[in-house]
Amino acid sequence: DAKTTQPPSMDCAEGRAANLPCNHSTISGNEYVYWYRQIHSQGPQYIIHGLKNNETNEMASLIITEDRKSSTLILPHATLRDTAVYYCIVRVDMRFGAGTRLTVKP
Amino acid sequence: EADIYQTPRYLVIGTGKKITLECSQTMGHDKMYWYQQDPGMELHLIHYSYGVNSTEKGDLSSESTVSRIRTEHFPLTLESARPSHTSQYLCASSDNVKGDTGELFFGEGSRLTVL
């Protein structure tokens, strides 16, 4: 099963785009890329997922490289409420890694 | 809104007691998961199930057991609680459509304190 690598923390200015990278160089052809976020001790919240093509929904956009070895989650206009830990998952058994702690600053 | 329920939400118990954390979902999902998380720390997968009579161990499962006798029910049991088991336990479920694991739906969690 593929593992992921994410930066431990990132800052973003309020109103600007937040671009969160994820490396998953060992991903296999049938593994999807999922993104979740967790605010405080609440249960993780689903954001978006994709297989090969870029995806967009009301929360975010997901850009997956052509070789599928990395992806980027884009929050187009970050708000203070987007401060959270963001997790990239590519494993079928849905193991979470350490994630990226995103802090949106005024 | 997710239809996945965990009980109890909060539990304080003495060392050595047997406890069962309940998790039920009404969405007919095949896959169910248990995660353990200490405050400010990573989510650790401790057990998962791909369907009735299927259970798999995760990373921190050696001190707990699960069962999956019915699709909707996935209880977690600690035979002898210890202070090191003090943590939040999160249950989740997902559907499996054409190989896509699908979105995880989480319960509200069970916060366990062992004295």
Side-chain angles (χ1 to χ4, degrees):
Chain A
D1 287 327
K3 295 182 180 179
T4 59
T5 303
Q6 297 178 254
S9 64
M10 291 181 63
D11 291 340
C12 177
E14 187 178 18
R16 305 297 293 269
N19 297 292
L20 294 99
C22 179
N23 286 324
H24 33 79
S25 58
T26 60
I27 192 171
S28 63
N30 62 348
E31 288 178 324
Y32 285 73
V33 180
Y34 287 84
W35 282 85
Y36 287 80
R37 72 181 183 184
Q38 188 175 29
I39 300 172
H40 299 302
S41 59
Q42 299 175 21
Q45 176 190 22
Y46 167 83
I47 301 173
I48 199 167
H49 77 286
L51 183 62
K52 295 179 181 178
N53 300 322
N54 298 336
E55 303 287 344
T56 296
N57 62 21
E58 65 278 4
M59 288 183 67
S61 295
L62 173 61
I63 308 298
I64 303 174
T65 58
E66 192 170 343
D67 62 8
R68 298 203 339 114
K69 293 185 177 182
S70 66
S71 61
T72 301
L73 178 75
I74 301 172
L75 307 178
H77 305 287
T79 71
L80 300 179
R81 286 192 298 269
D82 291 323
T83 292
V85 179
Y86 287 78
Y87 299 97
C88 167
I89 303 171
V90 297
R91 293 186 59 153
V92 174
D93 60 15
M94 303 306 276
R95 276 176 166 87
F96 286 70
T100 296
R101 184 172 297 277
L102 175 69
T103 302
V104 180
K105 297 185 175 181
Chain B
E1 191 170 318
D3 295 318
I4 180 165
Y5 308 100
Q6 292 185 239
T7 57
R9 291 288 312 281
Y10 302 92
L11 178 63
V12 180
I13 200 166
T15 296
K17 299 292 186 182
K18 177 180 179 179
I19 61 167
T20 297
L21 304 180
E22 303 287 350
C23 178
S24 295
Q25 51 94 7
T26 59
M27 296 171 282
H29 287 169
D30 288 327
K31 296 187 176 182
M32 296 190 74
Y33 311 80
W34 275 105
Y35 296 88
Q36 182 179 346
Q37 186 176 37
D38 294 330
M41 305 299 285
E42 289 184 38
L43 273 160
H44 291 286
L45 179 68
I46 50 176
H47 293 282
Y48 57 103
S49 167
Y50 287 159
V52 171
N53 294 325
S54 152
T55 61
E56 302 288 343
K57 293 183 177 181
D59 300 326
L60 297 175
S61 59
S62 61
E63 300 180 359
S64 61
T65 59
V66 291
S67 62
R68 190 83 185 278
I69 298 172
R70 304 196 315 264
T71 297
E72 62 270 22
H73 196 212
F74 191 43
L76 175 78
T77 298
L78 287 167
E79 290 294 332
S80 179
R82 296 203 298 270
S84 61
H85 295 142
T86 295
S87 190
Q88 175 166 251
Y89 294 83
L90 288 161
C91 180
S93 72
S94 69
D95 207 346
N96 184 15
V97 179
K98 296 181 181 177
D100 180 354
T101 297
E103 175 185 350
L104 283 172
F105 292 88
F106 280 85
E108 293 189 328
S110 293
R111 189 168 295 279
L112 173 66
T113 301
V114 183
L115 303 176

